Amino acid sequence: AAAAAVVAAAAAKSNAAAAAVQDEASRRDAYTASFSALSAAALKECLRAQKPDQLLGGNKKELVDRCVDRKLYGNLPRCPACGLGKLRVAYALPVGHKGQGRFSCPGGYDDDAYKPCSYKATAAERPAWTVVAAETETPVRKSAKKRPAGGGDDEGAPVPLD
């Protein structure tokens, strides 16, 4: 009977963990869709508003991925060792890691000189994401080119001379 209780408890814990991973994956998908609808400038505005400041470089997909990660798990802090660099994180799996992975610091600039850093850790305290106006705005869709009034020819358009 005791063994059955242990098996039942393990199964319940496994089901709860699977449900938590599924919830995390669902939220990731929803956040990805939401951030993908924003312009690169709006994504950078979202990242710029976070404390501590987050990396702003990269293409739109990288900015979307960065915003999704920070909203799900919190912002990446400055390096606790050197205080200059912004921590980077690598995850073993795309979901189920709860925002923890392999953290490292590349170093940073002190005045005009670059100071390398070799900080590495497997956990970090991540400050919460702050929702900003740019995140909640409805994206403006580009409208189709307007046709000139009066039909197919552009009125007032220059006429080539022979």
Side-chain angles (χ1 to χ4, degrees):
V6 169
V7 169
K13 187 175 182 182
S14 176
N15 288 341
V21 169
Q22 182 59 43
D23 177 60
E24 182 180 326
S26 295
R27 287 186 300 135
R28 174 178 285 283
D29 290 346
Y31 293 161
T32 299
S34 170
F35 283 116
S36 293
L38 300 178
S39 67
L43 294 168
K44 288 180 181 183
E45 187 177 330
C46 291
L47 290 165
R48 198 174 282 118
Q50 304 307 310
K51 300 295 180 221
D53 55 330
Q54 302 297 298
L55 292 174
L56 301 176
N59 61 34
K60 184 172 178 182
K61 182 189 179 321
E62 292 168 330
L63 293 171
V64 167
D65 290 346
R66 196 171 298 136
C67 286
V68 169
D69 179 80
R70 304 314 185 261
K71 185 163 183 169
L72 274 173
Y73 311 115
N75 296 309
L76 288 176
R78 288 253 176 215
C79 177
C82 71
L84 300 172
K86 298 175 183 181
L87 288 186
R88 296 179 180 174
V89 63
Y91 303 119
L93 300 168
V95 292
H97 49 73
K98 301 179 183 167
Q100 299 301 309
R102 292 186 323 268
F103 293 88
S104 62
C105 176
Y109 284 91
D110 185 16
D111 295 323
D112 290 337
Y114 179 78
K115 307 282 184 182
C117 181
S118 58
Y119 177 81
K120 295 189 181 340
T122 56
E125 189 173 322
R126 299 178 70 166
W129 173 267
T130 303
V131 176
V132 294
E135 183 180 345
T136 59
E137 290 176 4
T138 306
V140 177
R141 294 186 181 201
K142 292 181 182 177
S143 60
K145 261 189 168 178
K146 292 185 178 182
R147 295 189 175 246
D153 292 336
D154 290 344
E155 292 179 9
V159 178
L161 299 173
D162 290 327

